[in-house]
Amino acid sequence: MTAKHLAIATEGETPLRLRWINVAFFGIIHALALLAPWFFSWSALGLLLFLHWLFGSIGICLGYHRLLSHKSFQVPKWLEYAIAFIGALALQGGPIFWVGGHRQHHAHTEDIQLDPYSAKRGFWWSHMLWIFYPREEFFEDEKYQKSAPDLARQPFYRWLDRYFLLLQIPLGLLLYALGGWSFVIYGMFVRAVLLWHCTWFVNSATHMWGYRTFDADDNARNLWWVSIVTYGEGWHNNHHTYPHVAKAGFQWWEIDVTWWSIKLLQTLGLAKKVILPPSPTTTQG
C-alpha cells in the first residue's frame, strides 16, 4: 500500500489524532456482522436487501442527498420528515451533519483542507479514515450546522441530528420481535456495514475510476458498479456537473434506481419542482 493511499495529513496541518471511540464503534459493528453465517435464513437475507434499499436508496440517496442536500425536488413537509427519519435509521449520522458535510464537499470538492473527505488525501481517507481522524470543523455541531442552516433552524432536524443513534434501539427490538437474532444480525449489523461501504465508495472510488461525460473541474467520475450498489449515486461526474438535478443517470444505460422512486412520487403528485438535466442531456425516465 503506497503512501499516496494513506495520505491523511498535509504539510503544515495540525497533526490529526485517531479517535479510538470511532474505531471501536465501527470495529464492533463490523465484527458483529461477521456472525452472519451462523444466523443465516432466507427471510433474514430478504430483510437485509429490503432495508439496504429502504435506508440506502430512500433514506440516504433520495432523502439526505437529493432532497435535503441539493433540494432537487420538493415534497410535503410530512413526507420530507418521514424520509429524513428513514435516513437517520441508516446509521450514517444525523441529517444536519450529513447534509452539512456533503455541501462542504461540493463547495470545495477535493480541496485537501476544506473537503471533509477529499480524494486527494488518498483512497482510504475519502473512504473511511476521515471518520477515524475527525477534524472538528466537520464534526462539531456548531460548525457543520453553518453549512446546513435551513435544517438547523427546524426543531425536528435538530432532534434527529442529536438522537439518531438511539433510534437503533427500537429498531433492534422490532427486528428481534419479528425474527429473532437472525433479523437483528442481518437487519442491523450486516445491513449497516454493507450500506456504509457502498456509500463510502461514492466518496472514494468514483473520484478515482470511471469515465467522464463532462469536463468538470474535479475528478468525479461515472462508475457503473458503484451506481448499482448505491441505487444510482455512482454517476458521479453527472452529479458533480449538475448537482441540483434530481436525476443522476443521464443516458439510458445509466441505471438510476433512486430516480425511479422520485418519478413515482412525481406521478403520485407528491414530488414537485423536480429539476431535470438541461437539454440535450435530458432523457425520458
Side-chain angles (χ1 to χ4, degrees):
M1 191 171 296
T2 66
K4 176 183 177 181
H5 295 105
L6 289 173
I8 61 174
T10 61
E11 185 178 354
E13 181 180 41
T14 301
L16 300 174
R17 299 182 61 180
L18 184 65
R19 189 172 185 185
W20 286 105
I21 190 172
N22 291 12
V23 175
F25 175 80
F26 285 93
I28 290 171
I29 300 299
H30 277 74
L32 290 171
L34 294 176
L35 296 173
W38 289 273
F39 290 88
F40 176 81
S41 70
W42 289 108
S43 58
L45 180 61
L47 174 73
L48 165 65
L49 296 176
F50 172 72
L51 292 183
H52 190 283
W53 166 79
L54 180 65
F55 295 168
S57 181
I58 303 302
I60 298 298
C61 302
L62 185 152
Y64 274 19
H65 188 208
R66 304 190 197 188
L67 177 61
L68 297 182
S69 295
H70 296 293
K71 300 183 180 298
S72 61
F73 62 100
Q74 296 178 7
V75 296
K77 185 60 71 173
W78 66 265
L79 182 56
E80 176 187 313
Y81 282 175
I83 293 171
F85 187 87
I86 293 172
L89 291 173
L91 204 57
Q92 294 192 10
I96 304 176
F97 165 78
W98 203 102
V99 170
H102 189 72
R103 288 177 179 174
Q104 289 171 309
H105 167 68
H106 272 273
H108 310 285
T109 304
E110 297 176 355
D111 185 286
I112 292 180
Q113 297 296 337
L114 302 177
D115 182 348
Y117 24 86
S118 172
K120 289 186 178 179
R121 288 179 181 258
F123 175 89
W124 287 109
W125 173 267
S126 57
H127 192 72
M128 61 192 300
L129 288 181
W130 69 279
I131 301 172
F132 294 162
Y133 292 87
R135 299 168 60 195
E136 64 177 25
E137 58 265 40
F138 305 128
F139 281 82
E140 288 190 0
D141 55 0
E142 292 184 358
K143 295 186 177 180
Y144 65 68
Q145 286 180 6
K146 295 179 181 179
S147 296
D150 50 327
L151 302 187
R153 285 192 295 265
Q154 302 181 53
F156 174 75
Y157 285 123
R158 293 198 302 271
W159 178 86
L160 203 56
D161 205 64
R162 176 172 294 183
Y163 297 113
F164 77 93
L165 188 58
L166 295 180
L167 297 179
Q168 296 299 306
I169 297 175
L171 174 62
L173 292 174
L174 175 62
L175 292 178
Y176 183 81
L178 292 175
W181 286 112
S182 178
F183 272 31
V184 173
I185 296 297
Y186 277 81
M188 293 190 67
F189 306 123
V190 179
R191 179 268 308 165
V193 169
L194 290 179
L195 194 52
W196 281 338
H197 287 282
C198 289
T199 303
W200 295 341
F201 276 133
V202 178
N203 299 335
S204 56
T206 62
H207 280 267
M208 292 191 170
W209 304 297
Y211 65 90
R212 289 162 53 84
T213 301
F214 302 100
D215 187 19
D217 293 334
D218 54 62
N219 199 41
R221 296 170 178 272
N222 295 325
L223 191 55
W224 67 270
W225 61 266
V226 174
S227 294
I228 291 176
V229 300
T230 60
Y231 308 99
E233 300 294 83
W235 309 120
H236 213 46
N237 173 247
N238 296 348
H239 173 62
H240 268 260
T241 305
Y242 298 102
H244 298 294
V245 166
K247 190 175 187 179
F250 293 178
Q251 304 299 328
W252 68 265
W253 67 83
E254 295 176 340
I255 297 174
D256 183 0
V257 174
T258 300
W259 163 249
W260 300 346
S261 298
I262 297 173
K263 190 68 175 177
L264 176 61
L265 290 176
Q266 185 180 39
T267 301
L268 295 174
L270 292 172
K272 306 285 188 179
K273 299 183 179 180
V274 179
I275 302 175
L276 293 173
S279 183
T281 58
T282 302
T283 58
Q284 297 298 319

